[in-house]
Amino acid sequence: MNGSSGTVELRETHRLTGHADRAWALAWNPNPGSGVSPVLASCGGDKTVRIWKRAPDGAWQCTDVLEDTHNRTVRSCAWSPDGKLLATASFDATTAIWEYSGGEFECVATLEGHENEVKCASWSPSGSLLATCSRDKAVWIWEMQPGNEYECVAVLQGHIQDVKMVQWHPILDVLVSVSYDNTIRVWADDGDDEWHCVQTLTESDNCGHSSTVWSISFNQKGDRMVTCSDDRTLKIWDTSIDLSQPNTGEGHESWRHVSTLTGYHGRTIFSAHWSSEDVIASGAGDDAICLFVKEKSSMVDGPSYRLILKKEKAHDMDINSVRWCPQVPRLLASASDDGTVKLWELQGNVLD
């Protein structure tokens, strides 16, 4: 299984070096501008964010280093939907907002309020809301105001441990958070600007995870979600029900477990990401990357997913993040404790 299954291959095309500590997270700019090649942000334990762009000759270069703003690890980064702003979440308990203008990045806002390490930031589909989560067990929702001001409009309490990641649904104003408490929580606005937990996905009630949940990714349509965990599984969820409507949620129609992918990674799965071509990538503590697709002939009891490739020793150490490029659907980026960011090209017919 190492490298290819049949005609499918994941080929390393570039190795991006520069981070002086572990590389924690990655974000592709969703809207780099017409005619502009893809733009990747990476962040790490060296307290910096690096911006990578492809040069005309095809080589990737670090064009900007965002530093001297955070004084501890930068744990994650997220571009706004219009591609103009970059949010960076740090262990220094702040989230910084960077704007690209005049050919350089400027820190235009610093969001303070979490008691300790901020683990993740995520923009809503409209770009008007930013969610952040922290080891303080809380999720904050910030609303963008004129003049680069951000107002906290909600503090969501519900998790009983460190919140590892937040992710907005790609279409609806529904927010998902995952935690060290093994649960997945779904949050929605009740229409009166009051945010509530409308569903909690647990091991006992929903075939959920039995250990820390690390990451979430939706498919492009938003009717499926993948989560991954310290329990070494990936789980696929049917998220087609609109939980932003008041008649859904607990006791009503809700999101449900579809499939569990187990036995593919030997250690904690830290990251999973769904491509626009419906290939799921996962990266784990076993230094491997796995790729999955949905079976063409799905069983009556719901769709099943199959492994199409496992890339052993994709990095020298834990893989913390895998992200497909939105503009080039078969370009995958990975970030690792080994300090490197790697770019991979998926080759072959993945749907055979």
Side-chain angles (χ1 to χ4, degrees), residues 5 22 25 39-40 46 69 72 89 92 124 126 156 167 225 227 239 259 330:
S5 166
R22 67 182 63 181
V39 176
L40 179 68
D46 61 4
T69 291
R72 290 185 64 193
D92 65 13
S124 66
S126 68
L156 311 181
Q167 178 67 50
M225 173 178 78
T227 55
T239 55
S259 182
R330 296 201 169 191

Side-chain angles (χ1 to χ4, degrees), residues 160-177:
I160 56 172
Q161 296 285 347
D162 181 3
V163 187
K164 296 295 187 185
M165 185 176 179
V166 280
Q167 178 67 50
W168 291 91
H169 186 280
I171 299 154
L172 309 169
D173 271 346
V174 171
L175 180 67
V176 182
S177 58

Side-chain angles (χ1 to χ4, degrees), residues 282-305:
S282 59
D286 59 5
D287 313 340
I289 294 172
C290 286
L291 302 181
F292 304 89
V293 295
K294 184 178 165 184
E295 290 277 20
K296 274 183 185 164
S297 54
S298 281
M299 307 302 289
V300 179
D301 59 354
S304 59
Y305 293 77

Side-chain angles (χ1 to χ4, degrees), residues 264-279:
Y264 299 107
H265 284 290
R267 294 185 64 186
T268 300
I269 307 172
F270 291 115
S271 184
H273 196 242
W274 213 305
S275 82
S276 59
E277 292 188 337
D278 282 335
V279 181

Side-chain angles (χ1 to χ4, degrees), residues 29-106:
N29 189 322
N31 190 14
S34 60
V36 179
S37 64
V39 176
L40 179 68
S42 64
C43 59
D46 61 4
K47 312 171 194 172
T48 72
V49 180
R50 289 180 169 263
I51 307 297
W52 308 89
K53 295 177 184 173
R54 188 163 51 191
D57 65 359
W60 285 78
Q61 298 172 332
C62 178
T63 57
D64 300 90
V65 180
L66 283 49
E67 56 190 346
D68 302 327
T69 291
H70 292 297
N71 56 37
R72 290 185 64 193
T73 289
V74 183
R75 181 61 180 86
S76 77
C77 49
W79 296 95
S80 59
D82 65 7
K84 292 183 170 61
L85 300 172
L86 182 69
T88 56
S90 171
F91 285 2
D92 65 13
T94 72
T95 302
I97 310 294
W98 304 80
E99 184 173 24
Y100 186 68
S101 65
E104 59 183 25
F105 284 87
E106 179 190 1

Side-chain angles (χ1 to χ4, degrees), residues 23-27 270-272 283 315 318-323 333-336:
W24 269 118
L26 301 164
F270 291 115
S271 184
H315 281 272
D318 291 9
I319 297 170
N320 297 314
S321 182
V322 286
R323 287 291 179 274
S334 59
S336 167

